[in-house]
Every structure is written in C-alpha cells, then in structure tokens.
Short mmCIF file of all heavy atoms in Angstrom, two decimals:
data_model
loop_
_atom_site.label_atom_id
_atom_site.label_comp_id
_atom_site.label_asym_id
_atom_site.label_seq_id
_atom_site.Cartn_x
_atom_site.Cartn_y
_atom_site.Cartn_z
N LEU A 27 -2.90 1.68 6.54
CA LEU A 27 -3.84 1.09 7.32
C LEU A 27 -5.22 0.88 6.78
O LEU A 27 -6.12 0.07 7.12
CB LEU A 27 -4.25 2.02 8.50
CG LEU A 27 -3.05 2.46 9.42
CD1 LEU A 27 -3.47 3.48 10.52
CD2 LEU A 27 -2.51 1.22 10.05
N GLY A 28 -5.26 1.46 5.50
CA GLY A 28 -6.66 1.33 4.74
C GLY A 28 -6.58 0.40 3.53
O GLY A 28 -7.48 0.36 2.84
N LYS A 29 -5.43 -0.38 3.33
CA LYS A 29 -5.38 -1.33 2.26
C LYS A 29 -6.47 -2.38 2.31
O LYS A 29 -6.71 -2.93 3.35
CB LYS A 29 -4.03 -2.02 2.26
CG LYS A 29 -2.88 -1.10 1.89
CD LYS A 29 -1.52 -1.81 1.90
CE LYS A 29 -0.47 -0.77 1.60
NZ LYS A 29 0.95 -1.47 1.62
N GLY A 30 -7.11 -2.37 1.16
CA GLY A 30 -8.18 -3.43 1.19
C GLY A 30 -9.62 -2.80 1.50
O GLY A 30 -10.50 -3.44 1.37
N GLY A 31 -9.53 -1.50 2.00
CA GLY A 31 -10.86 -0.87 2.25
C GLY A 31 -11.33 -1.41 3.51
O GLY A 31 -10.66 -1.83 4.41
N ASN A 32 -12.74 -1.48 3.62
CA ASN A 32 -13.42 -2.08 4.73
C ASN A 32 -13.46 -3.55 4.62
O ASN A 32 -14.17 -4.05 3.80
CB ASN A 32 -14.86 -1.43 4.84
CG ASN A 32 -14.88 0.04 5.04
OD1 ASN A 32 -14.07 0.57 5.66
ND2 ASN A 32 -15.78 0.67 4.35
N THR A 33 -12.77 -4.19 5.56
CA THR A 33 -12.57 -5.66 5.43
C THR A 33 -13.29 -6.52 6.42
O THR A 33 -13.33 -7.74 6.19
CB THR A 33 -11.04 -5.94 5.59
OG1 THR A 33 -10.65 -5.69 6.88
CG2 THR A 33 -10.16 -5.12 4.65
N GLY A 34 -13.78 -5.90 7.48
CA GLY A 34 -14.19 -6.73 8.64
C GLY A 34 -12.93 -7.21 9.33
O GLY A 34 -11.79 -6.79 8.95
N PRO A 35 -13.12 -8.07 10.33
CA PRO A 35 -11.93 -8.57 11.08
C PRO A 35 -11.07 -9.34 10.30
O PRO A 35 -11.43 -10.34 9.68
CB PRO A 35 -12.55 -9.37 12.24
CG PRO A 35 -13.91 -9.71 11.81
CD PRO A 35 -14.41 -8.69 10.97
N LEU A 36 -9.67 -8.86 10.28
CA LEU A 36 -8.73 -9.55 9.35
C LEU A 36 -7.45 -9.13 9.88
O LEU A 36 -7.23 -8.18 10.46
CB LEU A 36 -9.03 -9.01 7.91
CG LEU A 36 -8.05 -9.52 6.84
CD1 LEU A 36 -8.22 -11.00 6.63
CD2 LEU A 36 -8.35 -8.80 5.45
N ILE A 37 -6.41 -9.92 9.64
CA ILE A 37 -5.01 -9.73 9.96
C ILE A 37 -4.12 -9.67 8.78
O ILE A 37 -4.12 -10.75 8.02
CB ILE A 37 -4.40 -10.67 10.96
CG1 ILE A 37 -5.38 -10.72 12.30
CG2 ILE A 37 -3.03 -10.42 11.42
CD1 ILE A 37 -5.01 -11.82 13.22
N VAL A 38 -3.46 -8.66 8.42
CA VAL A 38 -2.52 -8.59 7.22
C VAL A 38 -1.12 -8.17 7.78
O VAL A 38 -0.97 -7.15 8.34
CB VAL A 38 -3.12 -7.66 6.17
CG1 VAL A 38 -1.97 -7.46 5.02
CG2 VAL A 38 -4.53 -8.00 5.74
N GLY A 39 -0.15 -8.99 7.54
CA GLY A 39 1.25 -8.79 8.07
C GLY A 39 2.00 -7.79 7.18
O GLY A 39 1.61 -7.56 5.99
N TYR A 40 3.08 -7.34 7.76
CA TYR A 40 4.00 -6.40 6.95
C TYR A 40 5.36 -6.54 7.48
O TYR A 40 5.57 -7.07 8.54
CB TYR A 40 3.39 -4.99 7.07
CG TYR A 40 3.45 -4.41 8.43
CD1 TYR A 40 4.58 -3.88 9.04
CD2 TYR A 40 2.27 -4.42 9.18
CE1 TYR A 40 4.70 -3.38 10.23
CE2 TYR A 40 2.33 -3.84 10.51
CZ TYR A 40 3.48 -3.39 11.12
OH TYR A 40 3.56 -2.92 12.32
N GLU A 41 6.33 -6.18 6.66
CA GLU A 41 7.66 -6.00 7.08
C GLU A 41 8.09 -4.42 6.79
O GLU A 41 7.34 -3.75 6.17
CB GLU A 41 8.52 -6.97 6.26
CG GLU A 41 8.29 -8.48 6.61
CD GLU A 41 8.84 -8.80 7.94
OE1 GLU A 41 9.41 -8.02 8.75
OE2 GLU A 41 8.69 -10.09 8.31
N LEU A 42 9.31 -4.16 7.25
CA LEU A 42 9.75 -2.76 7.10
C LEU A 42 9.71 -2.23 5.78
O LEU A 42 9.31 -1.05 5.58
CB LEU A 42 11.12 -2.63 7.85
CG LEU A 42 11.79 -1.34 7.76
CD1 LEU A 42 10.95 -0.44 8.60
CD2 LEU A 42 13.27 -1.41 8.37
N PRO A 43 10.21 -2.97 4.70
CA PRO A 43 10.19 -2.37 3.38
C PRO A 43 8.87 -1.82 2.86
O PRO A 43 8.83 -0.71 2.23
CB PRO A 43 10.69 -3.43 2.48
CG PRO A 43 11.55 -4.39 3.34
CD PRO A 43 10.80 -4.35 4.72
N GLU A 44 7.75 -2.51 3.29
CA GLU A 44 6.45 -2.03 2.93
C GLU A 44 6.14 -0.61 3.51
O GLU A 44 5.62 0.21 2.82
CB GLU A 44 5.41 -3.02 3.25
CG GLU A 44 3.95 -2.45 2.92
CD GLU A 44 2.78 -3.36 3.45
OE1 GLU A 44 3.07 -4.43 3.95
OE2 GLU A 44 1.66 -2.89 3.40
N ILE A 45 6.62 -0.40 4.77
CA ILE A 45 6.33 0.80 5.45
C ILE A 45 7.17 2.03 4.59
O ILE A 45 6.68 3.08 4.34
CB ILE A 45 6.87 0.81 6.85
CG1 ILE A 45 6.05 -0.17 7.70
CG2 ILE A 45 6.80 2.16 7.43
CD1 ILE A 45 6.59 -0.43 9.02
N ALA A 46 8.46 1.71 4.26
CA ALA A 46 9.10 2.70 3.58
C ALA A 46 8.51 2.90 2.16
O ALA A 46 8.43 4.01 1.69
CB ALA A 46 10.58 2.22 3.37
N ASP A 47 8.02 1.91 1.49
CA ASP A 47 7.43 2.05 0.16
C ASP A 47 6.16 2.95 0.32
O ASP A 47 5.90 3.74 -0.62
CB ASP A 47 7.11 0.71 -0.37
CG ASP A 47 8.31 -0.11 -0.88
OD1 ASP A 47 9.42 0.44 -0.93
OD2 ASP A 47 8.17 -1.35 -0.98
N ASP A 48 5.37 2.69 1.27
CA ASP A 48 4.14 3.47 1.50
C ASP A 48 4.52 4.97 1.79
O ASP A 48 3.72 5.89 1.41
CB ASP A 48 3.26 2.83 2.61
CG ASP A 48 2.67 1.50 2.15
OD1 ASP A 48 2.81 1.18 0.84
OD2 ASP A 48 2.03 0.79 3.05
N LEU A 49 5.42 5.26 2.57
CA LEU A 49 5.90 6.47 2.84
C LEU A 49 6.37 7.25 1.53
O LEU A 49 6.09 8.35 1.35
CB LEU A 49 7.00 6.61 3.88
CG LEU A 49 6.58 6.29 5.35
CD1 LEU A 49 7.75 6.02 6.21
CD2 LEU A 49 5.88 7.56 5.97
N ASN A 50 7.05 6.34 0.69
CA ASN A 50 7.44 7.02 -0.52
C ASN A 50 6.39 7.36 -1.52
O ASN A 50 6.46 8.19 -2.46
CB ASN A 50 8.54 6.01 -1.22
CG ASN A 50 9.90 6.35 -0.75
OD1 ASN A 50 10.29 7.50 -0.78
ND2 ASN A 50 10.49 5.22 -0.31
N GLN A 51 5.10 6.66 -1.27
CA GLN A 51 3.99 7.09 -2.09
C GLN A 51 3.43 8.48 -1.69
O GLN A 51 2.84 9.11 -2.54
CB GLN A 51 2.80 6.00 -1.91
CG GLN A 51 3.13 4.70 -2.52
CD GLN A 51 1.91 3.78 -2.46
OE1 GLN A 51 0.78 4.18 -2.71
NE2 GLN A 51 2.15 2.53 -2.03
N VAL A 52 3.88 8.87 -0.45
CA VAL A 52 3.37 10.16 -0.05
C VAL A 52 4.33 11.14 -0.43
O VAL A 52 3.96 12.27 -1.04
CB VAL A 52 3.28 10.04 1.49
CG1 VAL A 52 2.78 11.70 2.01
CG2 VAL A 52 2.26 9.10 2.01
N VAL A 53 5.58 10.94 -0.24
CA VAL A 53 6.66 11.94 -0.78
C VAL A 53 8.00 11.06 -0.75
O VAL A 53 8.25 10.31 0.06
CB VAL A 53 6.78 13.08 0.29
CG1 VAL A 53 7.20 12.68 1.62
CG2 VAL A 53 7.78 14.14 -0.25
N LYS A 54 8.66 11.33 -1.93
CA LYS A 54 9.87 10.63 -2.22
C LYS A 54 10.89 11.10 -1.22
O LYS A 54 11.23 12.30 -0.96
CB LYS A 54 10.46 10.86 -3.50
CG LYS A 54 9.55 10.39 -4.63
CD LYS A 54 9.48 8.76 -4.62
CE LYS A 54 8.53 8.14 -5.71
NZ LYS A 54 8.40 6.76 -5.56
N TYR A 55 11.54 10.16 -0.51
CA TYR A 55 12.61 10.38 0.56
C TYR A 55 13.28 9.02 0.78
O TYR A 55 12.79 7.87 0.45
CB TYR A 55 12.04 10.99 1.81
CG TYR A 55 13.05 11.60 2.76
CD1 TYR A 55 13.61 12.75 2.53
CD2 TYR A 55 13.19 10.92 4.03
CE1 TYR A 55 14.47 13.34 3.36
CE2 TYR A 55 14.12 11.43 4.94
CZ TYR A 55 14.76 12.67 4.60
OH TYR A 55 15.60 13.11 5.58
N ASP A 56 14.47 8.98 1.42
CA ASP A 56 15.22 7.86 1.75
C ASP A 56 14.55 7.43 3.15
O ASP A 56 15.24 7.33 4.22
CB ASP A 56 16.64 8.05 1.89
CG ASP A 56 17.43 6.86 2.03
OD1 ASP A 56 16.74 5.65 2.16
OD2 ASP A 56 18.59 6.74 2.12
N TRP A 57 13.26 6.88 3.09
CA TRP A 57 12.65 6.54 4.30
C TRP A 57 13.20 5.42 5.01
O TRP A 57 13.11 5.27 6.15
CB TRP A 57 11.16 6.30 4.06
CG TRP A 57 10.42 7.58 3.67
CD1 TRP A 57 9.94 7.96 2.51
CD2 TRP A 57 10.07 8.66 4.57
NE1 TRP A 57 9.35 9.23 2.59
CE2 TRP A 57 9.48 9.61 3.78
CE3 TRP A 57 10.40 8.73 6.03
CZ2 TRP A 57 8.96 10.71 4.53
CZ3 TRP A 57 9.90 9.92 6.59
CH2 TRP A 57 9.26 11.02 5.84
N LEU A 58 13.84 4.40 4.16
CA LEU A 58 14.32 3.17 4.91
C LEU A 58 15.58 3.58 5.78
O LEU A 58 15.61 3.07 6.87
CB LEU A 58 14.83 2.24 3.72
CG LEU A 58 14.99 0.81 4.30
CD1 LEU A 58 13.77 0.18 4.91
CD2 LEU A 58 15.42 -0.20 3.05
N THR A 59 16.34 4.39 5.29
CA THR A 59 17.43 4.87 6.05
C THR A 59 17.01 5.76 7.15
O THR A 59 17.44 5.60 8.37
CB THR A 59 18.44 5.73 5.18
OG1 THR A 59 18.93 4.98 4.05
CG2 THR A 59 19.66 6.34 6.00
N PHE A 60 16.04 6.63 6.99
CA PHE A 60 15.41 7.41 8.00
C PHE A 60 14.90 6.54 9.20
O PHE A 60 15.33 6.83 10.33
CB PHE A 60 14.23 8.17 7.44
CG PHE A 60 13.28 8.96 8.47
CD1 PHE A 60 13.60 10.20 8.78
CD2 PHE A 60 12.19 8.37 9.06
CE1 PHE A 60 12.92 10.85 9.71
CE2 PHE A 60 11.55 8.95 10.05
CZ PHE A 60 11.84 10.34 10.30
N LEU A 61 14.21 5.49 8.94
CA LEU A 61 13.73 4.57 9.93
C LEU A 61 14.69 3.74 10.62
O LEU A 61 14.84 3.57 11.79
CB LEU A 61 12.75 3.67 9.27
CG LEU A 61 11.40 4.41 8.75
CD1 LEU A 61 10.66 3.29 7.97
CD2 LEU A 61 10.61 4.95 9.75
#
C-alpha cells in the first residue's frame, strides 16, 4: 500500500503475482498457491 511513498491522489493497478511477490518480501512461502 505504500509503494511510491506519499503520492497525492493516484491510481496504481496490480495483478495477483504482485501480491504474492510482496508477501514473499515479508517471508518466503508459496503464497501464490496459498491464495
């Protein structure tokens, strides 16, 4: 949620792989399968 820091009003899209990648930055796990 904090990518880009303080941006002002802005819309940044995402797909499922980005969510799994960001979770893996927190702790390694098969997050894509989990989801």
Side-chain angles (χ1 to χ4, degrees):
L27 302 178
K29 287 180 182 176
N32 297 321
T33 63
L36 180 63
I37 301 170
V38 179
Y40 63 83
E41 294 286 1
L42 182 59
E44 181 186 347
I45 297 171
D47 290 344
D48 288 354
L49 285 165
N50 273 308
Q51 290 186 51
V52 179
V53 60
K54 295 295 182 183
Y55 191 72
D56 189 358
W57 289 109
L58 197 57
T59 298
F60 172 93
L61 298 172

